[in-house]
Amino acid sequence: MKRFDYTRAGSVSEAVAAAAGPGAAYLAAGTNLLDLMKGGLATPARLVDITRIPGLSAIEALPDGGTRVGALVRNSDLAHDIGFARAYPAVAEALLAGASAQLRNAATTGGNLMQRTRCPYFYDPASACNKREAGAGCAAIGGATRLHAVLGFSDACIAVQPSDLCVPLAALDAVVEIAGAGGHRAVPLTEFHRLPGDAPERDTVLEPGELIVAVSLPPEAAGFAAHARYLKVRERTSYAFALVSAAAMLALDGGRIREARIALGGVALKPWRARGAEALLAGREPGEAAFREAAEAALEGAAPSGEATGFKIELARRVVARAFRLALAGSPERVPALPGSAFAGSAFAGSPSPISRNAGASAHA
Ligand code: SF4
């Protein structure tokens, strides 16, 4: 392993100052970064530990009715915050569909956004990879491609972004709060991850030294609470990344769809918001015909990036239609099907509670 400096920051400004030099990386749980370092795939000159920074571990109800999730809120704490899970059931469902219980207990909200692709060639130092080394080539093109993209890929990279959490966040218009040397800025989650284009080495729009401090959900996001689902299809039922996933949400009014939201995971190098499908559903009666049309629209422009990815297009259409069917059936009543979900035990039944001010306190309620 390459030698590196280690520094522990006591505040956001201290962290940003410490990461100002070349080759710095932020360390939170390290569930992806430390693996990359052990494999020689990430070689930061300096690790800036942000885990002791106060104020980044809270789930806060905002005055406007939105919710702010600190970058250091653990995945399991967020999924099991009963107020959060009731307001955003598809987010809780996505969190519980990710990784393993041990990883969810460690992994953070900010780190989840920053996790890198799981393209097997990216993790193999013997394979050419433009994402690892600009201009090196792409061993996946013409290689084994079952897990690769069907939307938004380029001649330089055909990988997909692996996050579950980011999919419902994209559907709910989440906003990423970023701190840097020039102050704070906000970026919509749908614009946070970059499609590969001719520069796949850059995963996100973060500039060097910038730090995610929070992710916020706007007040409208809770309006989908009654009909919101996350559906993940994978090659085994736990501890696997999505072949295809979808977060589907419906706001119903007088038997019709007032507004629909749909985002897909596992199909592109960013969570794929399908706004054309959403527009198609607005004002319609919910049902199989409408959902199938929306599924067609959601995959508009899709194409295989390799010989073995073609199946994902039809799979994604079916996942979209089924996710809408599940959303129509309603949440949270459907969510108890998930072992370990905030709704699994009868203790929570019929006792809605506000979003807590402290994730750790409510996680063990
Ligand atoms: Fe690297 Fe992207 Fe090609 Fe995978 S698909 S080998 S991540 S350039």
Side-chain angles (χ1 to χ4, degrees):
M1 185 189 285
K2 185 186 161 212
R3 293 179 67 84
F4 58 89
D5 290 339
Y6 170 88
T7 183
R8 183 182 285 162
S11 67
V12 169
S13 55
E14 237 180 78
V16 169
Y26 292 112
L27 175 68
T31 54
N32 189 203
L33 177 61
L34 296 184
D35 279 350
L36 292 167
M37 289 175 68
K38 288 176 197 167
L41 304 168
T43 54
R46 165 174 281 202
L47 278 189
V48 180
D49 185 338
I50 61 169
T51 56
R52 308 296 172 90
I53 297 178
L56 299 187
S57 300
I59 308 169
E60 301 170 84
L62 298 172
D64 66 0
T67 300
R68 184 177 185 269
V69 181
L72 292 181
V73 174
R74 307 282 177 184
N75 287 180
S76 52
D77 286 343
L78 189 57
H80 290 279
D81 185 292
I82 186 64
F84 183 89
R86 282 194 186 283
Y88 315 109
V91 181
E93 197 169 13
L95 283 162
L96 292 168
S100 65
Q102 291 92 336
L103 283 166
R104 292 193 294 270
N105 286 342
T108 64
T109 301
N112 190 295
L113 271 59
M114 293 299 293
Q115 65 181 296
R116 307 210 68 188
T117 183
R118 308 294 162 158
C119 170
Y121 298 101
F122 173 77
Y123 287 83
D124 173 17
S127 294
C129 175
N130 286 323
K131 185 172 274 302
R132 227 176 37 236
E133 185 187 343
C138 172
I141 295 175
T145 56
R146 185 168 166 78
L147 299 173
H148 289 80
V150 293
L151 285 161
F153 58 90
S154 73
D155 290 341
C157 179
I158 60 172
V160 299
Q161 210 275 341
S163 168
D164 292 298
L165 169 64
C166 288
V167 180
L169 290 182
L172 290 171
D173 283 336
V175 172
V176 187
E177 198 182 313
I178 296 164
H184 283 234
R185 67 185 179 114
V187 174
L189 189 114
T190 50
E191 295 168 25
F192 180 77
H193 297 97
R194 293 181 71 261
L195 289 176
D198 56 6
E201 69 278 9
R202 285 193 66 195
D203 288 353
T204 71
V205 298
L206 283 182
E207 297 296 334
E210 284 192 318
L211 172 67
I212 298 172
V213 293
V215 175
S216 294
L217 288 159
E220 309 77 55
F224 296 95
H227 296 279
R229 292 301 306 270
Y230 180 71
L231 177 62
K232 177 176 181 178
V233 174
R234 46 189 155 172
E235 290 183 323
R236 57 175 185 247
T237 54
S238 71
Y239 201 27
F241 295 98
L243 281 171
V244 173
S245 69
M249 299 159 196
L250 296 168
L252 302 176
D253 196 356
R256 291 189 174 270
I257 300 169
R258 177 167 46 78
E259 189 177 355
R261 299 280 181 91
I262 181 76
L264 290 93
V267 296
L269 204 44
K270 62 187 296 180
W272 193 265
R273 179 84 176 265
R275 294 183 195 273
E278 294 174 3
L280 192 147
L281 287 175
R284 298 275 300 270
E285 268 185 44
E288 194 59 29
F291 296 156
R292 284 184 184 273
E293 281 179 47
E296 285 293 329
L299 272 295
E300 191 182 347
S305 61
E307 275 186 19
T309 53
F311 79 100
K312 291 178 85 171
I313 300 172
E314 179 56 22
L315 177 63
R317 288 190 190 107
R318 295 179 188 206
V319 168
V320 168
R322 186 168 162 217
F324 274 125
R325 283 199 299 275
L326 291 170
L328 181 63
S331 54
E333 286 79 6
R334 300 284 303 174
V335 178
L338 285 168
S341 89
F343 304 101
S346 57
F348 295 122
S351 58
S353 63
I355 289 162
S356 66
R357 294 274 160 186
N358 181 301
S362 66
H364 307 292

